[in-house]
Amino acid sequence: MAICRARLDRFLVKQAHLNKKAVRLLLAQQRVLIDGIVETSADCLIDYFTKIEVDGVVLQNNIPRYVMLHKPVGVVSATVDDKHKTVIDLLNYDYKSALHLVGRLDLNTSGLVLLTNDSRWSERLTQPDNKVEKKYLVTLANPINEEYAKTFEQGMYFAFEGIMTKPAKFVKLSTYQAQVTLEEGRYHQIKRMFGRFRNPVVALHRYSIGSLTLDKNLLVGQSRVLTTNEVVSIF
Ligand code: URA
């Protein structure tokens, strides 16, 4: 039997446009295959990736997809947008319209964006309890001083949301550059944190999410399918 999510009979009523009685008959006549095996129970549980066939006709056969993209500045982290090119517009896969974004980057932020059609996988990366680290390279307008690391580590009060930010790691790389690691993704979080020091962010680039690092061979705007090892490193 397939793994959970929805009942097979409900799926067949909807997708095959049949009533419940007709579905029960189909099942009893052994005309339904689940992942290639005859299934006769109406309460069999299926999910988005279960292959479902009736009389040899495939009703569902979704393949899990995982893509990393090197997002350019000026491209919006959305699937549709009236004004700007979207990250989906940059992809060349025939299944691209089935993908959703695993977290967003601001319009003027570049770097690693992950896309998938597997919501369990994206939830692993975005659930706050999983504390997935996201690493950014930040270039500032003014010199960085020694105070920053302590303030980032302590967290900042964001009055609009009424929250304290979680401890963030701050490593000074040079006078104007730092590496910041966040476990969350509040609205414009990094820009607002540097804003407290009246130090505008002039460039922001995300280069990793959890165990996944932006492939150095990917030029700005390019994407590639994740390897099996990369995909399972998240589960
Ligand atoms: N923080 C920001 O300010 N912008 C981003 O895109 C990501 C983190």
Side-chain angles (χ1 to χ4, degrees):
M1 197 187 257
I3 316 160
C4 74
R5 294 247 157 142
R7 280 176 60 120
L8 176 60
D9 56 350
R10 294 205 185 119
F11 173 92
L12 291 173
V13 165
K14 208 165 160 217
Q15 298 299 319
H17 309 291
L18 296 170
N19 61 34
K20 272 197 159 183
K21 201 173 154 199
V23 165
R24 276 201 299 273
L25 187 63
L26 267 187
L27 289 162
Q29 290 172 334
Q30 306 198 343
R31 291 159 64 190
V32 181
L33 298 190
I34 294 298
D35 290 331
I37 296 166
V38 171
E39 179 60 67
T40 53
S41 45
D43 60 357
C44 161
L45 295 174
I46 54 157
D47 71 14
Y48 182 72
F49 297 115
T50 307
K51 183 173 182 190
I52 302 166
E53 292 165 87
V54 176
D55 293 337
V57 177
V58 178
L59 297 187
Q60 176 177 276
N61 188 19
N62 297 313
I63 296 163
R65 310 284 189 182
Y66 310 90
V67 169
M68 72 159 68
L69 167 74
H70 188 165
K71 177 194 165 311
V73 165
V75 169
V76 72
S77 289
T79 49
V80 279
D81 192 83
D82 293 341
K83 270 201 240 144
H84 299 97
K85 214 177 223 192
T86 71
V87 290
I88 297 288
D89 293 330
L90 297 176
L91 306 178
N92 279 323
Y93 313 99
D94 56 5
Y95 52 81
K96 69 180 188 175
S97 61
L99 302 178
H100 63 264
L101 282 113
V102 185
R104 290 161 194 279
L105 288 177
D106 292 342
L107 186 67
N108 54 1
T109 302
S110 62
L112 177 60
V113 168
L114 298 171
L115 299 112
T116 183
N117 62 351
D118 183 349
S119 51
R120 276 174 293 178
W121 191 80
S122 54
E123 278 161 20
R124 290 294 292 239
L125 286 161
T126 52
Q127 286 290 320
D129 288 351
N130 291 340
K131 299 189 167 137
V132 174
E133 288 191 338
K134 282 151 287 206
K135 291 191 191 316
Y136 298 84
L137 177 66
V138 195
T139 308
L140 287 313
N142 304 317
I144 300 159
N145 68 42
E146 304 315 318
E147 262 181 73
Y148 286 57
K150 208 173 78 203
T151 312
F152 273 67
E153 175 62 32
Q154 281 168 346
M156 284 179 193
Y157 182 66
F158 277 7
F160 184 73
E161 297 92 332
I163 53 110
M164 280 298 285
T165 59
K166 296 216 177 93
K169 289 180 201 142
F170 180 97
V171 179
K172 182 177 169 181
L173 300 174
S174 67
T175 313
Y176 294 96
Q177 278 205 318
Q179 176 196 294
V180 173
T181 306
L182 299 182
E183 276 179 9
E184 57 189 341
R186 302 280 170 192
Y187 180 68
H188 293 333
Q189 182 162 346
I190 291 185
K191 290 173 198 145
R192 288 161 78 192
M193 292 179 94
F194 282 99
R196 292 290 164 89
F197 296 93
R198 297 186 191 284
N199 197 348
V201 170
V202 293
L204 184 56
H205 178 82
R206 180 164 69 192
Y207 61 92
S208 79
I209 301 175
S211 53
L212 302 175
T213 302
L214 181 61
D215 189 328
K216 288 198 168 61
N217 296 317
L218 284 182
L219 301 176
V220 180
Q222 288 184 337
S223 65
R224 72 156 169 82
V225 170
L226 295 192
T227 65
T228 306
N229 280 348
E230 286 171 329
V231 173
V232 299
S233 72
I234 301 307
F235 279 121

